């Protein structure tokens, strides 16, 4: 079953086309990685998928339900209530953590399930403690973000995204602000999620991770999907010259 479907997405900023007619889908239990050079439109695509950015044209559906429709060459968006409803389908992990500095770790993770999903406080707290165990931070529930390392903050961000019981998790360069040693820990958590069949769409520059964990890899360049296929096809045996050049640069 398709969890996310984006069709013919276009987006321009100040007359510059950043996304040029992009279509992609992510099926239940699938891990899809998007790789490509800086400025190729990867993060903008993710921002359109999560309604942080409005597409100029194209359609977006979640779990078979149309959210954004394309009519007469423009994307038509529903009201705030429908967008909020659609947002319940996903969790989002940014590169810069985006934690609330004045909230404890527990409150950072539990706040949305309690206030947005109106769930029972004690039930949520129990779930959060399980999630903290999962990401190796069971002793940090009363700490504040300023008391945590970058890697610990990113683990809290992953737990926060998982607390909403999303159907799909989006990761936008989750390790780009972290040093290599800490990166390995975050990638390990993500790999465990993949092993548990969590549906994920990951924008990453970690090629080895994309190769090890992805069912499909998408190579983007200049606002377009240049190549798409299994990790073996796209990373080990790329057909397109642009993909080859990009991967060659990375291995230098």
């Amino acid at each position: 079953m398709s969890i996310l479907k984006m069709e013919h997405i276009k987006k321009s900023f100040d007359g510059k086309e950043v996304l040029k007619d992009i279509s992609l889908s992510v099926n239940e239990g699938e891990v899809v990685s998007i790789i490509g050079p800086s400025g190729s439109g990867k993060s903008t695509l993710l921002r359109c998928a999560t309604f942080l950015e409005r597409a100029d044209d194209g359609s977006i559906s979640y779990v078979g339900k149309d959210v954004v429709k394309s009519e007469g060459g423009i994307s038509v968006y529903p009201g705030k209530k429908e967008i909020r409803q659609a947002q319940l389908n996903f969790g989002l992990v940014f590169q810069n953590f985006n934690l609330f500095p004045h909230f404890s770790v527990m409150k950072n993770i539990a706040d949305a399930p309690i206030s947005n999903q109106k769930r029972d406080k004690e039930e949520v707290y129990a779930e959060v403690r399980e999630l903290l165990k999962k990401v190796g931070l069971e002793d940090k529930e009363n700490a504040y973000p300023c008391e945590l390392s970058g890697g610990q903050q990113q683990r809290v961000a992953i737990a926060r995204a998982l607390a909403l019981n999303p159907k799909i998790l989006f990761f936008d360069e989750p390790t780009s602000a972290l040093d290599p040693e800490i990166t390995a820990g975050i990638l390990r958590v993500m790999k465990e999620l993949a092993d548990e069949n969590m549906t994920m769409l990951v924008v990453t520059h970690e090629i080895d991770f994309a190769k090890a964990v992805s069912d499909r890899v998408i190579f983007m360049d200049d606002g377009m999907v240049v190549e798409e296929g299994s990790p073996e096809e796209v990373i080990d045996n790329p057909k397109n010259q642009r993909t080859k050049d990009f991967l060659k640069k990375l291995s230098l």
Side-chain angles (χ1 to χ4, degrees), residues 20 35-41 219-226 242-243:
K20 303 170 182 175
I35 62 171
S38 294
S40 56
F219 172 67
M220 275 180 71
D221 192 14
D222 194 27
M224 292 181 287
V225 171
V226 174
R242 278 198 275 180
T243 318

Side-chain angles (χ1 to χ4, degrees), residues 124-142:
V124 171
Y125 278 13
E127 256 182 50
V128 171
R129 289 189 178 104
E130 282 305 308
L131 285 171
L132 285 172
K133 213 177 280 181
K134 189 188 192 90
V135 298
L137 292 175
E138 55 268 51
D139 57 340
K140 298 290 184 191
E141 68 174 76
N142 297 315

